[in-house]
Amino acid sequence: MARLTTSDDLYAVMGVNYTASPDEIKAAYRKLAHQHHPDRNPGDSEAEERFKQLQQAYSILSDPSRRRAYDQLRRSIQPDPSPVFVDDFFSSIGEFFEELFGGRSNVVNISLERAIRGGPVIIRGKDGSLTRIVLPPGVKNKFRVRASDDPNERIFTFKILPHSVFTRKGANLHMHLSLNGLEALVGSSKTFTDLYGEPLTIEIPPNSTHGTKLRYKGRGVQSETRKTGDLLVNLHITPLNSLEIKILQGAAHAAGLMEG
């Protein structure tokens, strides 16, 4: 496969302007991925390479933090840059560890996003060597893979780092959502970006109580071999404070529900 380098403009790969909105990037990816998907082009190696390049580009441009980092890199690149792999700038760096039984193993820290999305990871060893591993989507913590079919090659163990919002249990994702008492009482909605870069709107029904769990089917971990899991949202509700109580009392007075 012709891998992307810093001399490749990811926006050009996606066929969009660098000012493109997330929705425009998503629409371009869907159109081009459908056009170049290997299933639509059996035996076409160029289409397969193009499809994989699109996946690489989209994995960066669809993630706000990775896109910001890429934009900074893109602005700093001089003409005719050296061919440094784009993956290197966005992959976890693994340090070499000897296992107790004497085998060789690289332990690589990766984000929860990378683990569930899968995709290429470039691992740089302490000796400066680079190894490219393509993770399947939905790998679990301590997923192990050998660099190649050669039994003498290193085995890599992938450790998934904690996420600030989501946790994984099997195929399901869990998140805690903090609400104040007023939001829980009257109901509200909150919009997030999920681990796949898709918008997710949580609808909180009126009179929700602390510990309520909301389930969003099909919004959990996607895998090539298992059924897609669900997202479970656990509501953490703080009691009404004095200001919120005054607001409710004022509304009750205005509605004629309270006297005095």
Side-chain angles (χ1 to χ4, degrees), residues 140-241:
K140 295 183 179 180
N141 192 37
K142 298 183 179 179
F143 173 78
R144 304 181 73 200
V145 63
R146 195 180 299 275
S148 75
D149 293 335
D150 185 343
N152 294 318
E153 281 284 1
R154 294 174 179 173
I155 296 174
F156 294 95
T157 301
F158 290 87
K159 178 183 177 182
I160 301 175
L161 299 174
H163 193 274
S164 60
V165 176
F166 299 96
T167 57
R168 176 180 178 178
K169 294 182 180 179
N172 293 332
L173 293 173
H174 295 250
M175 66 174 288
H176 295 296
L177 180 60
S178 296
L179 304 169
N180 61 46
L182 193 56
E183 290 175 317
L185 183 63
V186 302
S188 60
S189 65
K190 294 184 180 293
T191 300
F192 301 87
T193 299
D194 69 14
L195 293 175
Y196 293 96
E198 299 287 345
L200 169 67
T201 299
I202 305 296
E203 299 289 349
I204 297 95
N207 298 316
S208 292
T209 57
H210 182 79
T212 296
K213 286 185 172 61
L214 307 176
R215 181 182 292 269
Y216 290 80
K217 289 192 172 295
R219 298 304 296 262
V221 178
Q222 302 171 16
S223 170
E224 295 175 342
T225 58
R226 304 182 189 89
K227 180 181 177 181
T228 300
D230 301 332
L231 170 65
L232 289 90
V233 182
N234 190 9
L235 302 185
H236 281 226
I237 300 170
T238 57
L240 291 170
N241 59 36

Side-chain angles (χ1 to χ4, degrees), residues 42-57:
D44 188 337
S45 59
E46 290 186 5
E48 182 179 359
E49 289 182 2
R50 177 78 169 119
F51 179 73
K52 291 178 179 178
Q53 287 181 339
L54 287 166
Q55 288 183 308
Q56 286 182 304

Side-chain angles (χ1 to χ4, degrees), residues 75-93:
R75 288 191 294 268
S76 69
I77 292 175
Q78 301 299 318
D80 299 322
S82 59
V84 180
F85 296 130
V86 167
D87 293 15
D88 296 347
F89 292 92
F90 304 101
S91 300
S92 301
I93 305 303

